[in-house]
Amino acid sequence: MNITRHAENPIVVPGLYDWRLATVFNPAVIKDNGKYYMIERTAGSLTPCKNYLGLLESTDGVHFTHVVDKPVLTPDELGFPYGSVQDPRMVKIDDTYYMTIALRPCAMNYYPTGTGIPERSIPTYPDGWGEEEGHWLTRSMLLSSKDLIHWDYVSTTTPLEINDRNNILFPEKINGKYALLRRPEEYIGDEYGTEQAAIWISYSDDLKTWDEPVLLAKAEQEWETKKIGSSTPPIRTEQGWLLFYHGVDQDTVYRLGAMLLDLEDPTIILARTENYVMEPETYYEKFGYQIPNVIFPTGCVLDEGILNIYYGVTDTAIALASVPLADMLEHLLAPGNRK
């Protein structure tokens, strides 16, 4: 599969403001009214690594500038002054933007070691923060906005007693219901039908109360044996919902795969890539301040037949790759990938 990396990668890097001096990565991206809008995950420090979300815009999808010089979402606004808001994904339904985020009530310290994998420690926080196990679990939330700057809380989409990341809302209702992809890390074992963290799907009538999730896809290949998770919001095509997902192997290398889901029943997988379609290759995908060998797409925009894939690299910066939709579908629908 020939996915082309942009010549100017990484296209968004840390700096400029004190709340994004240390790192920027894993963005949500959408195109609306002729412009690209990016919600970036940032950190101003590694000790602690408290994450914020900033808003940028672009006319060409490559060169981004900030819309405002402050974060558009902080953990403080959600009631977690020592927490971290992470990995946004964004869709627009009717006239409203919806964003899913992962939230950890407390942020950790990270110390670069020169080996590519940092050491971690738990900061000492006042008022009992960080003393409960739940303070270090990652929950997921759904927020809404009319202008991408002011965000309102809609619901907590996952139980508070488990780690549940990679929550992604479908960009339209399916059979009258909202659909949400999830990755509950504790849902493993015989009773859950999977031995590794997998992709699940939940439904809701009102975006506030979510049904119990149903297992959608679990690890199948060696390159995804540690865990898999949804990467970018699904894109409707004539052949089905195109879903990019990440697979992590036992050496913690992050790669990218793709699935095609039935339009009326997305629990039906029509096709799935047996081999990954993208893996870390360049220096910026192999080396960074935190975890090496990571490509982590969280935004994808279909523009004039081209899939523009926005991805975090080594938890350090943001890069862009592209591929024609027709090529991706042809690859997915090849005999070896059909289900």
Side-chain angles (χ1 to χ4, degrees), residues 28-30 37-39 55 88-92 97-100 148 151 169 233 298:
V29 185
I30 197 169
Y37 294 96
M38 174 184 289
I39 304 267
L55 175 64
R89 273 81 161 203
M90 181 168 50
V91 299
K92 188 178 184 182
Y97 301 100
Y98 292 99
M99 179 171 65
T100 49
L148 295 172
W151 291 91
L169 191 66
T298 41

Side-chain angles (χ1 to χ4, degrees), residues 49-209:
C49 191
K50 180 177 182 177
N51 290 177
Y52 308 88
L53 300 183
L55 175 64
L56 303 91
E57 65 180 7
S58 170
T59 57
D60 62 6
V62 178
H63 305 95
F64 285 84
T65 58
H66 283 86
V67 176
V68 289
D69 60 6
K70 303 289 185 183
V72 294
L73 188 69
T74 71
D76 309 69
E77 295 174 64
L78 299 173
F80 299 92
Y82 309 110
S84 191
V85 287
Q86 307 171 355
D87 298 350
R89 273 81 161 203
M90 181 168 50
V91 299
K92 188 178 184 182
I93 301 176
D94 298 326
D95 64 345
T96 302
Y97 301 100
Y98 292 99
M99 179 171 65
T100 49
I101 61 165
L103 183 140
R104 181 178 286 162
C106 289
M108 291 187 179
N109 289 327
Y110 291 90
Y111 304 93
T113 61
T115 64
I117 299 179
E119 295 180 358
R120 301 193 302 179
S121 70
I122 295 176
T124 300
Y125 290 119
D127 304 322
W129 285 94
E131 296 178 2
E132 299 177 15
E133 181 181 356
H135 290 164
W136 302 101
L137 298 177
T138 303
R139 63 196 65 181
S140 290
M141 292 182 176
L142 176 66
L143 302 102
S144 67
S145 176
K146 298 292 187 181
D147 61 6
L148 295 172
I149 297 174
H150 305 92
W151 291 91
D152 296 318
Y153 171 85
V154 177
S155 64
T156 299
T157 55
T158 62
L160 302 183
E161 65 272 12
I162 63 171
N163 286 288
D164 199 331
R165 305 179 66 93
N166 300 316
N167 281 213
I168 301 177
L169 191 66
F170 278 72
E172 61 184 74
K173 288 183 177 181
I174 300 174
N175 296 319
K177 289 181 175 288
Y178 297 99
L180 180 78
L181 299 167
R182 293 173 48 185
R183 208 272 302 283
E185 294 194 4
E186 285 82 358
Y187 285 17
I188 56 176
D190 291 342
E191 62 182 303
Y192 296 104
T194 177
E195 296 304 315
Q196 294 84 25
I199 301 172
W200 297 66
I201 187 169
S202 294
Y203 294 93
S204 173
D205 292 318
D206 59 5
L207 293 173
K208 296 182 178 181
T209 302

Side-chain angles (χ1 to χ4, degrees), residues 6-13 38 61-64 310 317-320:
H6 198 277
E8 296 183 42
N9 276 347
I11 61 168
V12 179
V13 297
M38 174 184 289
V62 178
H63 305 95
F64 285 84
Y310 295 86
I318 294 169
L320 168 63

